[in-house]
Amino acid sequence: TIGFTAGPFFPLRVGASQTSKLFGEAVMPSWMVTLTEPIGSGWYQGQLALGAELIVFHTSEPITAYGIGFTPKLVYTSTAFGRVRPFLEAGGGPVWTDLGGQVPEQPGQFNFLVWGGAGCSYQLTRALAVNAGYRVMHISNANTREPNSGLNFGLPFLGLSYQGF
């Protein structure tokens, strides 16, 4: 499956040391392969997929900055509801951003991104689907430098995916 998702992000503060209020947008082209036939029965019947995703983002308020990262991802998609397919997803990996030194939470340019989310796909055809969902994202330096409070974002998204096989 290849996909393309995009959406705006906004700050989520979970600690007193997270003071930056960064707003922007992200685009995420992805690829994944389904690992299992439908497993389970009832409402939780679904398939497990493993993939990879590129994330490119831009902050526009209050400062302009850019970032790019690569995250392997794991997705569980329910197949119990016909064309409607709820899913849970998570991933993490390295990210480079020029926010380092511009905000108090980011002392350097090389960081790590960890994210998790949920959403729903609607199968338009056997191969084409529309996707919508929400992610929570955390960018930090994994305690390789001080400070390590990190940045947290909420990201609602829309996308399209194509299943070729």
Side-chain angles (χ1 to χ4, degrees), residues 16-35:
S17 62
Q18 295 173 332
T19 59
S20 297
K21 297 179 185 176
L22 299 174
F23 295 85
E25 56 280 334
V27 295
M28 298 151 299
S30 65
W31 167 89
M32 68 181 176
V33 61
T34 302
L35 299 174

Side-chain angles (χ1 to χ4, degrees), residues 36-132:
T36 66
E37 293 295 322
I39 52 178
S41 61
W43 64 270
Y44 59 88
Q45 176 183 318
Q47 295 176 300
L48 196 59
L50 184 63
E53 183 171 280
L54 182 68
I55 180 166
V56 179
F57 65 89
H58 167 254
T59 64
S60 54
E61 281 184 50
I63 60 173
T64 300
Y66 298 90
I68 186 167
F70 174 80
T71 64
K73 68 180 190 173
L74 189 62
V75 181
Y76 184 79
T77 304
S78 174
T79 57
F81 305 106
R83 289 182 167 209
V84 176
R85 305 228 169 141
F87 60 86
L88 297 172
E89 60 182 357
V95 65
W96 175 90
T97 175
D98 61 356
L99 284 167
Q102 294 191 63
V103 295
E105 299 88 351
Q106 295 295 309
Q109 295 180 331
F110 181 76
N111 291 281
F112 297 93
L113 169 66
V114 178
W115 58 267
C120 193
S121 291
Y122 180 77
Q123 297 294 131
L124 298 170
T125 67
R126 188 179 187 300
L128 188 64
V130 175
N131 311 303

